[in-house]
Amino acid sequence: MTSGVGAPRRARISARTLRTDRWWLPPLLTNLGLLTFVVYAGARSFMGKWYWVEEYGYLTPFYSPCLSESCLPGSSHFGTPLPELPGWIPLGFVALPFLLGFRLTCYYYRKAYYRSVWQSPPACAVAEPHGSYSGETRLPLIVQNAHRYFFYVALVVSVINTYDAVLSFTHGVGLGSLVLSINVILLWAYTLSCHSCRHIAGGRLKHFSKHPVRYRAWTLISKLNVRHMQLAWTTLATLMLTDLYVMLVASGAISDLRFF
Ligand code: FES
């Protein structure tokens, strides 16, 4: 190794680390958290059923927008411009790649998976296994620079998810409507707390005093931005829980709790 801890001017220490604490615990927990989401979201996206409750208008966010003729009647809130799809294509395939791109290129998730999955480095004072480092200057990591564009698509998807949640209230009010609403509020909080969003609102300005509206927006987004990590994890959990609730109601495993 000729770079990193193996660079010629670094001290020659053969041990990977001299740390004796449980430095491996945070990367392990991060890996387990991300793996849980990837396995759950993958399984549900390819399941192709139990994503829509017609009686109450509940559509899981993993299948929204559902734009194909394969979608269950009533679940296509924006029509069916696409033909029937083979079973191996997830019905939510229009939005899923962009949402995945949005999360993968998110500044917080980068920090999380660079340390845990990439191990680059896994912790302070722990040598990484890689022999060279090219940062985000080459494929595939150069794609990280497209985060701002994934953010624009994520904004549109948040609007669509909001529409889905609001539409459920036209069928009355049940626990499912509240679950969809809480999920969408948190999704908005995560999306608006994005670092790109903060920069779009208040970046490249020489004088905040000449742009009071952008300054105000930047101030509000900055308050959310400090919670970006918490929102990133919370929304992973609420996405899974929302989908799980819709799946359980749609499959008949549980009944929706109705208030009105
Ligand atoms: Fe995390 Fe943009 S920085 S979503």
Side-chain angles (χ1 to χ4, degrees):
M1 194 190 282
T2 55
S3 68
V5 293
R9 299 173 116 184
R10 300 292 292 269
R12 301 274 140 226
I13 299 173
S14 56
R16 189 179 177 203
T17 181
L18 299 178
R19 284 180 66 166
T20 54
D21 62 336
R22 291 191 295 171
W23 59 265
W24 43 267
L25 192 56
L28 177 67
L29 293 178
T30 305
N31 270 324
L32 288 176
L34 294 177
L35 188 67
T36 304
F37 182 79
V38 168
V39 171
Y40 180 88
R44 277 294 288 146
S45 298
F46 287 97
M47 196 176 276
K49 59 181 178 180
W50 300 331
Y51 56 88
W52 167 242
V53 183
E54 183 160 23
E55 195 180 355
Y56 308 130
Y58 298 157
L59 177 64
T60 167
F62 288 166
Y63 285 71
S64 178
C66 209
L67 300 175
S68 143
E69 283 173 6
S70 306
C71 300
L72 288 171
S75 64
S76 302
H77 297 155
F78 302 92
T80 55
L82 303 174
E84 294 223 348
L85 297 173
W88 51 270
I89 299 185
L91 290 174
F93 85 102
V94 176
L96 285 178
F98 294 101
L99 293 180
L100 191 65
F102 183 51
R103 297 260 171 178
L104 275 178
T105 58
C106 163
Y107 293 17
Y108 167 66
Y109 283 110
R110 284 187 223 183
K111 172 189 152 187
Y113 69 72
Y114 281 179
R115 289 184 183 177
S116 57
V117 181
W118 231 261
Q119 307 246 310
S120 180
C124 284
V126 180
E128 61 180 293
H130 306 277
S132 62
Y133 176 78
S134 59
E136 295 171 347
T137 58
R138 293 196 208 140
L139 274 174
L141 294 187
I142 198 168
V143 177
Q144 305 284 27
N145 296 298
H147 183 64
R148 163 182 292 233
Y149 303 102
F150 287 118
F151 164 75
Y152 293 138
V153 181
L155 269 187
V156 175
V157 176
S158 295
V159 171
I160 292 172
N161 289 161
T162 307
Y163 183 76
D164 294 339
V166 169
L167 217 60
S168 73
F169 286 95
T170 60
H171 295 70
V173 181
L175 183 56
S177 344
L178 300 185
V179 169
L180 289 175
S181 304
I182 291 169
N183 177 56
V184 101
I185 289 168
L186 288 166
L187 279 183
W188 271 112
Y190 169 68
T191 307
L192 293 178
S193 68
C194 167
H195 292 71
S196 284
C197 178
R198 184 168 175 261
H199 182 74
I200 290 164
R204 299 175 73 87
L205 291 181
K206 286 208 172 110
H207 307 287
F208 272 141
S209 57
K210 289 189 180 152
H211 302 272
V213 176
R214 288 185 65 183
Y215 176 61
R216 180 85 184 122
W218 176 84
T219 309
L220 293 172
I221 291 168
S222 297
K223 285 184 183 156
L224 272 180
N225 181 257
V226 293
R227 302 261 172 265
H228 196 57
M229 177 185 82
Q230 290 88 337
L231 288 165
W233 283 111
T234 307
T235 48
L236 274 197
T238 53
L239 273 169
M240 285 191 287
L241 290 173
T242 304
D243 175 79
L244 183 66
Y245 188 81
V246 173
M247 178 175 76
L248 292 176
V249 175
S251 65
I254 60 169
S255 315
D256 185 38
L257 182 62
R258 303 302 294 170
F259 303 121
F260 300 107

